[in-house]
Amino acid sequence: MSTLTLKDGTEIYYKDWGKGQTLFFHHGWPLSSDDWDAQLFFFLEQGYRVIAHDRRGHGRSEQTPYGHNMDTYASDVAEIVEALDLKDVIHVGHSTGGGEVIRYVAKHGNGRVAKAVLVSAVTPIMVQNENNPNGVPISVFDDIRNNTAKHRSQFFIDITFPFYGYNREGANVSEGVQRNWWRQGMNGSIKAHYDCVKAFSETDFTEDLKSVDVPVLVMHGEDDQIVPFETTGKVAATLLKNGKLISYPGFPHGMPTTEAETINKDLLAFFKS
C-alpha cells in the first residue's frame, strides 16, 4: 500500500502502476481513486504509468478534519507530484477532481504538466450568484450538506440515480455500480464530505482556466444532472487558451463508468494528439 505523509502530517493513499508517460487521475466527491478503475486498468494496458490518489479525508487517506478546500487539495497534489518527481504529466479530473486539476495546473504546474482533462467538471463555478446568475441555487448545496450530515448512508444510495442517469426511462441500472459508489463514499470522512460541498460548489475557477497554457480537453455529458453542462463544461471551454470541448448527448455525470468505452477512446486520442 503506497502512502505519502504530507508536510502537515496528513497521510495520503495513492496507486502508482506501470511505466511510460504518467497519467494522474483525480476523483470526484465523495469517492476515491477506485472510481477510476475503468480508466486505470485500460490505460495501464495501453503502456501508460497511471497514478490516482484518495483526496484527504476520502477513501483510504487520513480522515483529517482540516484542509478541505481547493487550495489545499491542489497543494496536496503538488506534494505528491514533487515527491514522485513526476514530469510531462497528463492530469485527468472528474467533477470535483476537475476543479482540483485546474487549480493545481494553474498554481503549481511549474513546467511538469503536459496536458489536462476536465471530465464532468465543476469549473468554472457551480453556485448561483450575481456573477453567475444561471448557476445552481445555494439551496441545492445546502440540501446536499444536510443529507450528508444527517442521512449520509441513505443519501449515498439515493444520489446514484441522478449521478448515473439511472432515473431516466430505459436506463440499464447496475446495482453493483451503485453499491460500489456507496462503498467508496462511506469509506470516507463525514467531515471531509461535508466541507467539500463548499469547495466544489463555491470555488471560482475562472482565472485558473484563463491562465492555463497547456492543452485542455473538456468532456461533459449533456444530460449531466449533477453538474449541469450549460453552465459548467460549455462555459469552461470558452475560457481556456488552448481548450477543446467534447459534449455527449444523453451521457450522465458518471459517464467514465457507464460510458467507459467511449470516454477511454476519446481520452486516448487526446493523449496521443
Side-chain angles (χ1 to χ4, degrees), residues 151-162 178 181-182:
H151 315 287
R152 188 168 67 134
S153 184
Q154 184 61 48
F155 180 54
F156 281 7
I157 294 172
D158 297 341
I159 199 173
T160 61
F161 287 94
Q178 291 179 294
W181 200 102
W182 183 90

Side-chain angles (χ1 to χ4, degrees), residues 103-234:
R103 179 59 54 89
Y104 164 76
V105 174
K107 304 298 184 186
H108 305 279
N110 298 326
R112 293 180 179 267
V113 178
K115 299 177 180 178
V117 185
L118 308 178
V119 185
S120 312
V122 297
T123 54
I125 184 171
M126 284 192 70
V127 74
Q128 182 184 69
N129 58 32
E130 59 183 17
N131 297 318
N132 188 38
N134 295 319
V136 179
I138 190 69
S139 59
V140 173
F141 303 113
D142 289 340
D143 187 57
I144 293 173
R145 269 185 284 263
N146 180 64
N147 277 298
T148 298
K150 299 177 181 178
H151 315 287
R152 188 168 67 134
S153 184
Q154 184 61 48
F155 180 54
F156 281 7
I157 294 172
D158 297 341
I159 199 173
T160 61
F161 287 94
F163 194 96
Y164 293 113
Y166 288 163
N167 56 353
R168 297 308 196 204
E169 185 176 355
N172 182 22
V173 179
S174 169
E175 185 180 347
V177 167
Q178 291 179 294
R179 288 187 180 190
N180 191 42
W181 200 102
W182 183 90
R183 174 191 65 83
Q184 291 178 67
M186 294 305 295
N187 271 339
S189 157
I190 189 170
K191 170 64 172 170
H193 293 162
Y194 185 92
D195 289 354
C196 187
V197 176
K198 181 179 180 67
F200 75 65
S201 63
E202 297 183 42
T203 305
D204 190 339
F205 301 97
T206 300
E207 296 307 314
D208 301 293
L209 291 161
K210 290 179 178 179
S211 71
V212 168
D213 294 315
V214 299
V216 180
L217 174 62
V218 178
M219 312 171 82
H220 216 110
E222 294 180 14
D223 192 33
D224 191 325
Q225 299 173 64
I226 306 297
V227 180
F229 167 65
E230 291 291 331
T231 55
T232 54
K234 189 174 182 179

Side-chain angles (χ1 to χ4, degrees), residues 31-156:
L31 305 174
S32 74
S33 55
D34 291 353
D35 200 45
W36 287 112
D37 279 355
Q39 285 68 47
L40 296 177
F41 184 73
F42 176 81
F43 287 107
L44 179 65
E45 295 205 320
Q46 295 294 319
Y48 289 92
R49 179 183 180 182
V50 294
I51 295 175
H53 73 305
D54 291 0
R55 187 174 298 114
R56 62 168 56 217
H58 294 66
R60 289 142 292 200
S61 288
E62 183 176 346
Q63 293 197 6
T64 173
Y66 309 111
H68 305 296
N69 57 78
M70 280 295 166
D71 285 340
T72 304
Y73 295 159
S75 66
D76 289 352
V77 172
E79 286 198 50
I80 298 169
V81 169
E82 289 165 15
L84 299 177
D85 195 24
L86 305 178
K87 298 172 182 175
D88 194 35
V89 183
I90 302 175
H91 288 268
V92 184
H94 177 253
S95 196
T96 300
E100 180 178 277
V101 163
I102 210 68
R103 179 59 54 89
Y104 164 76
V105 174
K107 304 298 184 186
H108 305 279
N110 298 326
R112 293 180 179 267
V113 178
K115 299 177 180 178
V117 185
L118 308 178
V119 185
S120 312
V122 297
T123 54
I125 184 171
M126 284 192 70
V127 74
Q128 182 184 69
N129 58 32
E130 59 183 17
N131 297 318
N132 188 38
N134 295 319
V136 179
I138 190 69
S139 59
V140 173
F141 303 113
D142 289 340
D143 187 57
I144 293 173
R145 269 185 284 263
N146 180 64
N147 277 298
T148 298
K150 299 177 181 178
H151 315 287
R152 188 168 67 134
S153 184
Q154 184 61 48
F155 180 54
F156 281 7

